[in-house]
Amino acid sequence: MKLSIEISKYPLTSDYIEPIKGFIELLNSNPNVLVITNTLSTQVFGDYDEVMALLQQGIRWSFETYGKVVFVVKFLHGDLRP
């Protein structure tokens, strides 16, 4: 099954650039997942299991590394890449 997500990360710190960059780098570590980043959000497309595992890894890494972080995620069934 294919999955499309749109995710925004809001680190609760004044130094928010590095936590966001690190998260996007982690998402880009899987060559089977397409990641498209813009100024407002990041879109991720791929196999459901791979996207969800990558998302779980990235969220856990963010919490363990940076503490309080807010994530806003939209999940859409199917491959809705542009």
Side-chain angles (χ1 to χ4, degrees):
M1 174 174 35
K2 297 295 181 183
L3 180 66
S4 301
I5 68 167
E6 181 179 63
I7 186 165
S8 297
K9 177 180 178 176
Y10 302 98
L12 300 180
T13 178
S14 59
D15 180 26
Y16 58 89
I17 299 294
E18 288 306 312
I20 293 171
K21 281 180 154 180
F23 182 72
I24 293 170
E25 287 175 11
L26 189 143
L27 293 177
N28 278 307
S29 70
N30 185 329
N32 297 325
V33 173
L34 174 64
V35 178
I36 300 173
T37 304
N38 62 51
T39 56
L40 296 176
S41 65
T42 299
Q43 298 172 346
V44 184
F45 306 92
D47 178 73
Y48 178 90
D49 291 331
E50 287 188 86
V51 170
M52 291 303 288
L54 194 59
L55 190 60
Q56 181 180 10
Q57 179 185 2
I59 290 172
R60 182 183 188 105
W61 171 83
S62 294
F63 289 155
E64 290 177 346
T65 306
Y66 296 104
K68 294 184 179 177
V69 179
V70 175
F71 289 93
V72 177
V73 187
K74 298 176 190 173
F75 297 91
L76 301 123
H77 178 263
D79 186 346
L80 302 176
R81 69 180 82 194

